[in-house]
Each structure stands twice: as structure tokens, then as C-alpha cells.
Amino acid sequence: MTIAEQSVSTSSETARRNGRRARKIREAIEAYLFLLPGTLILLTFNLIPIFYALYISMHKWRIQKGKFIGFANYLKALGTPIDILSVLGGLGLLAGAWMLWRKIKAEDSNGKLLLKFLFAFMLLFGGIAFILGFPKMLADGDKMLFKALLITFYYSIGTVPFQIIFSFLLATILFQDIKGKTTWRIIYFPPYVTVTVASAAVWQSIFDPSKGLINITLGGLGVPEAALPKWLFEAQGINVIIGHWFGINVPSWAGGPSLALVAVMIYNIWTFVGYNSVIYLAGLGNIPSSLYEAAEIDGASRWETLRNVTLPLVSPTTYFLTMMGILGTFRAFNHIYVMTQVVGPVGSPRGTTMTASMLIWKNFWDGNRFGYASALAFVLAGVMLSITWIQGRIAEGRVHYG
Amino acid sequence: MRERKWFALIAVLALLLAVLTACGQKTTPTAAPTEKPTEAQATEAPTTAPAETEAPTAAPTEEAPAYDTAIYGDLENIDPSGQEVTYWYQHTRSREELLQSMIDEFNRTNEWGITVKGESQGGYGPLYQKIIAGIPAHQLPTMAVAYQNQAATYAVQDVLVALDPYVQSKKWGYSQDDLKDFFPVALTADYLPQFKGRYGWPPYKSMEVMYYNQDWLKELGYDGPPTTWDEFGEMACKAAQQPFSKATGEGKSLGYEYSIDASRFATFIFSRGGTIIADDASKYVFNEQPGVDTMKFWQDLVNKGCAAQATEKYGDQTDFGNGLSLFTVGSISGLPYYAKAVESGANFSWSVNPPPHTTAEPRMNIYGASQSIFKSTPEQQLAAWLFIKWMSEPEQQAKWASSTGYFPTRQSAADLMKDYFAEHPIYKKAFGFMAYESGVESPVAGYDECRTAISDMLTNVLGGADVQGGLDGAVEQCNEYLQEAAPSK
């Protein structure tokens, strides 16, 4: 090759490289331009409001902005800095210890003894910090907040497992070769797509103590008027009420959720069972039939097939529905508001339906405490993130993606 | 392929631009309906009205007209011609239709060519919330309906104008004779002690009364309604045992059916000579003896099964109409609805009376939202004032009162309602209660929040919680709100 040919070849190589680079840049610009609308929408409607809420939470903000108060709203909610440090630090150490324990169990490393020592240290100090800090936090922080978190916890525990069990059973039945399968599937879905306010208002009238369908039916079955439950108007704990039936005096601290909250839970389960069933049906449809055939050839019973084939293979669906269910209960507002509105102010009766989201609303709208309500929203977001993290760690190794 | 990609990109950008442009656009105010106004039912002949007419106690209006020209402009020389103002109110359905027809009439007939655009916000709650949200966003109407405590909340945020300069203005205000025509109770209510000024103007008023079933009382062996709380308790418990012969519908027979409402609690406290807030508005005092007596009495009635909470919205009204509740206590503005409930229910003889009392004479809870003006331009503020003043003219008051069940706030308006009084004896009887002494619910910032605390207390105590503990807790909470919401000094 001559020098002239070499030079032509180099320059054409450079031109090609430049052309490639220009195309790459153009493609990158194109990609960013396509990303721009979504990013702008996300920024405008999600991220900016979140940062603005954080900004509000650090001010004395009653309708309009007041002076900067730093973390005072957070301290009002959660107690002194020492309390917060003890509890969060303690929980952090306990979580770290748990992660470490999983590592120790999974690995066969030489440094196991050191890890075990570290684990013991984290467990011990995390536990002590939490045990010492938590009661102080309860005493120094906003008692309404902790009560609301407990009620939210009740609400979660009282709804999500039932949603999952009922919807799985329903989906399993609907998955069989039964007559009118599609019709049944349609019948169970409307509660989810019905406007919440409308369906909650209907359930509120169904639970009406004197004119509601449930009590009229119970009355018709011979339940004496004095024994009819007051449903949404009943602040007594469900355990206390059940205890009465059996002549046991259950102390109020062990009373559990109020009957009013139980009524709201029933509504919640009714709403989500249909939707969850449809998701489960999709999950069941994805299990290869060859696995069932193999199980049958191996002589597995129906229960064994369900236990060892179906349940593990729908575990991603179960995990998804559980996570969404729990997060949903922490954000629940509309139906609780509508159903209990007739009883009294937000959280009625006697504050027993005051979930965390209701408390935030109460502080924001009833109290005009914009700053404090924003701080509470961040506390709730923190709780939800922690729960999601724990759920994720628990699910690891238990969820099978086929 | 490349062209298609670029086309898609341009389309996305164009869509984004359109969305952003749409977000930035101002919303167009709702157009006012064009229906013709209804005919006034009032005539010119005077009728029986509460025997009052002491000189109005509106001390603030008699002070020298010193005002901030930056807010009000040169009031006597402003020209409000051609102004367009927005008016937010809570009324819906037939009341809204009537109000819109009156707004239309004002728009057609006012000499300055002012245009009022009325917008219903669906109720007192949404109206208040929308204004609260509108304050930081600077999206407020020119004027709105507001209770006195709500006006105080807005005034703390410095978004409201005091109305004293308008009232006192030689050109736009009222003469002393005109002011004497207003009932003192109406004028004093809008004076806000925290600001030492008037922030609302009252075109109508309401009051809490006791509704009672006359036929049932007769069946129970009583000649008339109770005047003391002891009598009330006795009759209520007897009614719970002996249902009304004409009762219809589902439900238990009750002496008194109630809905949870802070105004009801205030009514009962006033009837026992007490008050909600200290006279100097420095602290809440409803946990004192009248409050304790009220809650003990009420709780006792509930415990004995003589009283119970309504289990649906307006359930007390419906059950009264069905002959299932001997008494209810509520606003006189509910009168037309009670009449309908009785007519379509058990159809019996009924009436209203002042709530029972431990004071020598009945002591009423007379209240009502007024009209407040938000800070805008001096011209717009004046235009809003001229509309409010027009709504307060005797003809307008008479038209509004005779169609809604509210009370007029001036004698000359009552004088125009002779025929209406003759046709509506219960309304006429209730109007006479305006002459009684009355308590005033707290006209301070933070009372709205306190009302929720009182409602919480009512559900708790009537659900069995300790009376004194419940009252003390609510007072503590209310005082906290009072301090938080107070204007900065």
C-alpha cells in the first residue's frame, strides 16, 4: 500500500469513526429527548412535590409559610433526638445483625468466627438500644401517631392475609373447569372497579345499626335488639366483644381493633378479593401443565400438588399482592373516611379508625398544621419503606420465579 | 424509518408543550345562569317581629373612619364601574338557584355595571378547605361566605379586608338610621375581638331550636314542650318507653336523637348560662360547670337509652318526621326540611321552641355565616361590598328568608314578610326567639379546629368516656389551636 493509499485509508477510517460517534451522539440526544417528557412529568408531579413537602415539614407552616424550625416537627412526632437515635440505631443494628446471620448461614468462609462475634455485638447492642429507646419514644413523641400506627398495623394484619387466602381459594376454584367460568370471573371483579366513595357509602348503610341490612337480617334470625352489633358506631375492641359472648372479661389493652375498624376491614377484603383473584388466575395460568402431569405420575395427592407445585410457583404473585396490599393499607383513606363520616369527626368512633393516613389528613385539614402533617407523611413513608425492605428480605429465597 | 422517528419525537414534544401550556392557563370562571329571578313574596305591610330595637352595639362602626388607603384606595372617590367579581358560597340545589337568580338580578340592575360571578363550592366544609388551599396559592375569590371564626382565620393570614370603612363610608355605607334597622345580635357577631374590627356582613341569620312532636307529647300526658332540662329528660325517657302511635319506618323509639355537632354543644352550654370561650377570647372555658352539667346530663340520657346518635346523615330529621324521635335540636334553617319529613312521614302536629334552659329566660344560640371580602383591588373590593349591601337590602333579605327558612337581619325586611309569617306560623314563632338573649360561638381563629376537637369529645364522652377528662382534654386541645392560630403581635 502506498503512502497516498494509506493516507486515504486512515482518513476514511477517521471519517467512519467520526460518523459513528456523531450517530451515537445523535442517538443519545434522541433517547434523552424521548425520556424528557416522562422525566418532566415525574419531576413536576412526583419529585418536586416530595421535596416541597420536605421543605414544608421543616417550617412552622400554618396555611402559609412561617419560620424555619428544622426538625422540630419530626421531634414533636417521634420524641427527643436521643429517642430517635436509640430506636433507629437499634433497628439498624438489628437489621444488620439479621443480614449478617443470613451471610454466615450462606457462606462457609474462614472469617466466620469474626462475623459471628460481630453478629452477637450488633444483636446485643441493637436490642438494648431499641428496648431502652422505644418506650421513651412512645412517652415523648406524639401518642396519636403511635396509636394511629398501631391501628394501621391492625388494619394491615386484619385485611391482607384474608385478601390473599380468599382470593387464592377463589382463583383456584375459578381455574377449574366449571360452568360459566368467565361470568364468575366478571362477577367478582366489579367491587374493585366500582368508585370507592359510592361502594363505601353503600357499605356504610349496610352496616347501619338500626336500618342496615346486616342487623335487620340478624334481627330476623332472632338476635335480640340489645345484642345487635353497632358496627361502625362501636368503639369496643373485637376481642372484648367476642370475650363477652363467652363470659370472659378481656382487658381493654388486649381488645384488638374496634368493631368499627373490623367493619372497614370487611369492606376492604370485599373490594380486593376479586382483583387479587384475577391476578392469581394469571399466575396459575403461567404454571406449565407438565409439572402437574409429572406430579400426577409421581403419585402426588391434590394437597401435595398444591403445596409443592402450585403454591411455590404462584409465590411471585403472592409476594406482589402482599406487598401491594400492605402498602395499600398504609395509604388507605377514602373508604375509611366515607364509612365513618356519619359517626363523627375523622377517626370516629373514639379514634379507633384513625389510621396513619387519616391522622395526616386530620392534622392537615382539621388542624391546618401543614408543616406537622408533612412531617407525619415522611414518617409514614419511612415506615412503609422499612416494611417493604423487610418484606423483600423475607421473600428472598422464598419466592420462586419458575 | 428515520422520518417516522423524527415525526414521533416532534409529536411527543408538541404534546408536552400542549400539556404545559394547558397547566399554565387560568380557569375560566363559571358563567352565571340566565334564569329569571323569582318574584319576591314579601309585601310592604309590617308584621310582628321580635320586640327589639336598642341602638346597635356595633361600637367599632362608630369609630372615626381611619383606613389604609393602600388597601381601600380613596374610598369616597373610587369608581367601581365595570368590575367583575367572584363570589364563593356553600349553597346547592334550590338555594343555589335562588341565589343565582338574585345575582342575575343584581348584574342586570346595578347602576355601575358590576358583574358578580357566583360559584358554589358544594358546602361549608369544601368552601372553607378551598379557601384555605387558595390562600398560599393566591387563588381566592373577591368575596365569600364565611363564619366569623373562619373570617378570623383568613384575617390572620392577612387576606381579608375589614368592612368598617365601607360601613362608615358616607357614599357607600350606611347611615346611623339604617344601622339601627339591623338587629343588634346580627351586627355584634361579626366583630372580631382579635382584630378589633368587622370582617363580615350578615344578610341572614339562623339559630338553634328544639323541634318537638306535639301529638306524641299529648300521648305521653304532657300539655306542652319542656322548658327545663329536667323536664326534657323526663319526657325523653318516657318517649323511649312509650312509642308514638303514628310512628312509621324502621328504628327504635327515642326521646332525643342527635347528630354530633359543636354548635349543639354550644347551644346546650348557652342554655345553662355558660359560654364556650372567655369573654376576652383568651382561653376556652367550656369545661366549667355548665359544660360538665351538659355532658353529664347528655351522657346519662344516652346510657339510659333515652337518647341516641343518628346513624345516617340527617337521620335525626328523618326519624323525627317518622315519629321515632320526640325531640331533636338543630338549626332553624332546617325548618322546610323538617316540614317535608313530617309530611312524608308520620304526619303529626309539631312545632319549635327554645331549647330547655336553666337560666330564667331562654338563652339562644343565634349564628350564621356572613359575607367577607378578600383583598384585591380597591375597585373590586368596593364592587363586592356593593353586592353585599344590595343583598342586605330589605327586599332581598325578605326574598331570601321567605324561600330558605333563614331569618332576615333587619326589621324592615321582617316587615315585608307579613304574608309569609301568616302562612308559616312555626317560622313566625321561631322568629320571635330572636328577641331572647343569646350566646356567641367563638369568633376567633382556630375555632374551626376546636369544633373538631369538641366533636371528638362528644363522640368519646357520649360513648362512655369520663366527662371531666373529656372536656379538659378538648379544652387543652382548643387552647393549643387558639394559640397556634392567633394573629402575631
Side-chain angles (χ1 to χ4, degrees):
Chain A
M1 194 183 283
T2 62
I3 293 172
E5 276 172 345
Q6 265 182 2
S7 131
V8 167
S9 154
T10 314
S11 63
S12 66
E13 181 66 28
T14 314
R16 253 202 315 275
R17 217 177 298 141
N18 284 346
R20 267 207 304 273
R21 192 183 301 152
R23 197 169 63 238
K24 269 188 179 173
I25 292 171
R26 209 170 45 243
E27 277 175 3
I29 291 172
E30 247 178 62
Y32 283 116
L33 277 173
F34 274 112
L35 281 173
L36 190 67
T39 312
L40 278 178
I41 289 170
L42 207 67
L43 263 173
T44 314
F45 296 108
N46 286 46
L47 295 177
I48 293 173
I50 288 172
F51 284 113
Y52 192 54
L54 185 69
Y55 178 72
I56 291 175
S57 74
M58 292 183 153
H59 288 81
K60 184 177 162 47
W61 201 301
R62 210 194 126 75
I63 304 173
Q64 295 198 85
K65 193 175 113 178
K67 63 179 181 192
F68 178 78
I69 52 169
F71 290 101
N73 279 327
Y74 292 89
L75 297 180
K76 183 180 169 187
L78 298 172
T80 64
I82 303 280
D83 302 341
I84 298 170
L85 204 67
S86 304
V87 171
L88 293 186
L91 284 174
L93 283 173
L94 286 174
W98 180 39
M99 297 292 285
L100 208 58
W101 177 248
R102 285 153 55 102
K103 192 177 162 67
I104 293 165
K105 272 178 72 180
E107 283 179 14
D108 187 22
S109 62
N110 293 332
K112 229 177 176 180
L113 190 68
L114 186 72
L115 285 178
K116 276 184 179 170
F117 180 75
L118 192 64
F119 162 74
F121 172 84
M122 287 169 87
L123 187 69
L124 185 70
F125 283 91
I128 289 173
F130 181 76
I131 289 166
L132 291 179
F134 193 59
K136 275 207 84 228
M137 182 184 260
L138 293 183
D140 298 338
D142 183 352
K143 287 168 190 63
M144 294 273 281
L145 170 67
F146 299 119
K147 193 181 167 198
L149 286 173
L150 177 69
I151 290 170
T152 314
F153 176 73
Y154 281 148
Y155 185 56
S156 256
I157 293 293
T159 52
V160 179
F162 292 101
Q163 282 175 15
I164 299 292
I165 293 168
F166 290 146
S167 55
F168 179 74
L169 289 177
L170 194 63
T172 313
I173 294 167
L174 293 177
F175 197 65
Q176 309 303 313
D177 217 5
I178 53 167
K179 244 186 177 178
K181 201 154 84 173
T182 318
T183 315
W184 285 111
R185 286 180 186 189
I186 291 169
I187 286 172
Y188 287 106
F189 202 66
Y192 180 72
V193 287
T194 308
V195 177
T196 308
V197 174
S199 60
V202 170
W203 274 89
Q204 184 262 312
S205 69
I206 290 174
F207 281 120
D208 188 297
S210 57
K211 295 160 194 165
L213 191 64
I214 298 177
N215 275 10
I216 287 177
T217 310
L218 288 175
L221 292 171
V223 177
E225 197 179 307
L228 288 173
K230 288 198 282 174
W231 296 112
L232 293 162
F233 288 78
E234 183 57 83
Q236 261 193 346
I238 185 75
N239 298 338
V240 176
I241 295 169
I242 294 171
H244 274 314
W245 296 346
F246 298 101
I248 304 163
N249 260 339
V250 178
S252 60
W253 58 264
S258 68
L259 186 62
L261 190 65
V262 171
V264 177
M265 288 173 184
I266 292 170
Y267 167 83
N268 177 295
I269 295 166
W270 171 82
T271 307
F272 283 97
V273 161
Y275 169 76
N276 288 2
S277 300
V278 171
I279 306 286
Y280 262 129
L281 278 170
L284 289 171
N286 284 336
I287 301 174
S289 56
S290 57
L291 292 176
Y292 287 111
E293 285 160 15
E296 203 180 332
I297 291 164
D298 288 345
S301 67
R302 283 187 112 176
W303 165 247
E304 280 167 337
T305 311
L306 181 77
R307 169 79 185 79
N308 298 312
V309 179
T310 312
L311 282 178
L313 289 173
V314 291
S315 58
T317 311
T318 308
Y319 171 62
F320 167 75
L321 291 176
T322 310
M323 192 173 74
M324 296 311 286
I326 290 176
L327 293 181
T329 53
F330 272 76
R331 291 165 53 204
F333 178 82
N334 289 355
H335 59 283
I336 309 179
Y337 182 80
V338 172
M339 289 179 80
T340 58
Q341 207 179 20
V342 68
V343 185
V346 171
S348 290
R350 301 182 71 174
T352 59
T353 60
M354 185 78 82
T355 57
S357 51
M358 300 286 277
L359 183 70
I360 293 169
W361 191 93
K362 183 184 168 69
N363 272 286
F364 194 93
W365 285 117
D366 282 353
N368 287 325
R369 292 167 165 168
F370 292 9
Y372 186 57
S374 301
L376 288 181
F378 276 97
V379 171
L380 182 63
V383 172
M384 286 164 74
L385 276 175
S386 310
I387 288 172
T388 312
W389 182 82
I390 293 169
Q391 231 183 325
R393 298 291 81 73
I394 292 173
E396 269 175 17
R398 288 182 176 82
V399 175
H400 304 276
Y401 290 93
Chain B
M1 186 70 190
R2 274 170 69 93
E3 277 169 12
R4 201 183 294 170
K5 242 197 286 180
W6 279 108
F7 175 75
L9 190 66
I10 290 163
V12 167
L13 286 173
L15 190 69
L16 185 71
L17 193 69
V19 169
L20 291 176
T21 317
C23 288
Q25 274 176 355
K26 280 186 181 174
T27 42
T28 317
T30 322
T34 51
E35 282 172 37
K36 285 191 174 175
T38 53
E39 287 299 314
Q41 295 176 11
T43 57
E44 70 287 353
T47 61
T48 47
E52 63 73 47
T53 42
E54 302 158 29
T57 51
T61 59
E62 288 165 9
E63 286 170 11
Y67 55 79
D68 186 349
T69 49
I71 297 170
Y72 298 94
D74 181 8
L75 200 50
E76 303 301 322
N77 296 307
I78 298 177
D79 179 14
S81 297
Q83 292 298 317
E84 195 172 282
V85 293
T86 46
Y87 172 42
W88 286 3
Y89 51 81
Q90 81 288 8
H91 303 292
T92 54
R93 293 183 287 182
S94 61
R95 284 180 184 171
E96 189 192 7
E97 280 171 26
L98 172 65
L99 183 56
Q100 283 289 359
S101 73
M102 292 173 80
I103 290 172
D104 282 349
E105 188 182 337
F106 174 79
N107 289 346
R108 273 200 319 272
T109 57
N110 80 84
E111 60 186 281
W112 307 279
I114 296 167
T115 307
V116 174
K117 297 211 164 184
E119 293 172 11
S120 172
Q121 304 304 321
Y124 281 114
L127 171 65
Y128 178 62
Q129 284 179 353
K130 202 164 173 191
I131 291 174
I132 290 293
I135 291 171
H138 305 293
Q139 288 178 347
L140 292 169
T142 324
M143 60 185 149
V145 171
Y147 275 106
Q148 292 70 30
N149 55 292
Q150 294 173 337
T153 298
Y154 308 151
V156 171
Q157 302 300 324
D158 199 25
V159 293
L160 225 52
V161 289
L163 300 185
D164 304 87
Y166 297 112
V167 177
Q168 294 160 359
S169 164
K170 283 194 176 68
K171 190 169 178 183
W172 313 110
Y174 287 101
S175 68
Q176 282 304 309
D177 281 346
D178 282 342
L179 285 174
K180 279 181 188 163
D181 188 36
F182 283 86
F183 301 131
V185 67
L187 285 186
T188 47
D190 285 310
Y191 178 73
L192 303 184
Q194 286 173 315
F195 300 92
K196 299 186 171 39
R198 170 181 308 286
Y199 283 79
W201 195 253
Y204 54 85
K205 280 285 163 197
S206 182
M207 68 164 70
E208 293 263 311
V209 292
M210 175 181 68
Y211 293 83
Y212 65 92
N213 181 330
Q214 182 62 46
D215 287 352
W216 196 355
L217 277 177
K218 267 187 198 157
E219 286 180 12
L220 296 171
Y222 300 105
D223 293 333
T227 53
T228 66
W229 285 111
D230 287 341
E231 285 173 3
F232 180 90
E234 185 192 309
M235 293 178 189
C237 288
K238 210 167 172 184
Q241 299 298 320
Q242 191 183 321
F244 182 40
S245 60
K246 292 188 199 165
T248 57
E250 290 285 339
K252 194 178 168 236
S253 184
L254 286 168
Y256 170 47
E257 189 167 332
Y258 59 88
S259 51
I260 297 289
D261 192 306
S263 288
R264 218 112 309 139
F265 175 67
T267 302
F268 297 163
I269 286 207
F270 295 162
S271 75
R272 290 174 186 270
T275 178
I276 296 287
I277 197 167
D279 290 341
D280 62 357
S282 62
K283 61 176 181 178
Y284 285 94
V285 292
F286 58 78
N287 58 341
E288 291 177 355
Q289 205 52 48
V292 175
D293 292 344
T294 293
M295 291 316 299
K296 279 191 173 162
F297 173 78
W298 200 344
Q299 192 187 51
D300 187 48
L301 278 185
V302 174
N303 289 345
K304 287 195 286 200
C306 312
Q309 188 185 343
T311 56
E312 58 188 10
K313 206 174 178 187
Y314 304 120
D316 47 352
Q317 219 170 72
T318 317
D319 285 345
F320 179 81
N322 286 338
L324 293 169
S325 177
L326 177 63
F327 304 119
T328 67
V329 177
S331 166
I332 191 66
S333 65
L335 202 64
Y337 304 108
Y338 273 90
K340 272 183 202 158
V342 173
E343 205 180 305
S344 61
N347 211 0
F348 50 86
S349 163
W350 62 285
S351 190
V352 297
N353 228 36
H357 48 98
T358 57
T359 48
E361 285 293 308
R363 192 159 174 260
M364 309 298 295
N365 184 9
I366 297 174
Y367 55 70
S370 291
Q371 319 287 341
S372 294
I373 299 176
F374 291 92
K375 280 183 180 169
S376 54
T377 63
E379 289 78 10
Q380 285 214 317
Q381 289 164 196
L382 178 59
W385 165 252
L386 290 171
F387 171 71
I388 290 171
K389 196 177 170 209
W390 180 82
M391 282 291 285
S392 302
E393 282 174 5
E395 293 75 17
Q396 270 58 256
Q397 283 206 3
K399 183 194 277 187
W400 179 258
S402 54
S403 303
T404 59
Y406 284 102
F407 288 145
T409 56
R410 51 199 299 185
Q411 182 60 53
S412 52
D415 294 344
L416 293 174
M417 294 171 66
K418 189 187 169 195
D419 290 349
Y420 186 78
F421 280 126
E423 284 166 23
H424 299 85
I426 298 178
Y427 180 88
K428 183 183 171 188
K429 180 183 178 187
F431 187 62
F433 306 158
M434 288 275 276
Y436 289 127
E437 196 202 332
S438 65
V440 176
E441 285 195 52
S442 320
V444 295
Y447 181 56
D448 239 76
E449 294 89 321
C450 175
R451 284 175 66 86
T452 309
I454 290 174
S455 296
D456 271 332
M457 179 276 295
L458 290 176
T459 47
N460 291 347
V461 172
L462 298 175
D466 173 57
V467 168
Q468 191 66 61
L471 284 165
D472 290 347
V475 162
E476 192 184 329
Q477 176 101 64
C478 286
N479 283 334
E480 209 178 297
Y481 284 131
L482 184 67
Q483 280 172 10
E484 264 182 43
S488 47
K489 286 169 187 168

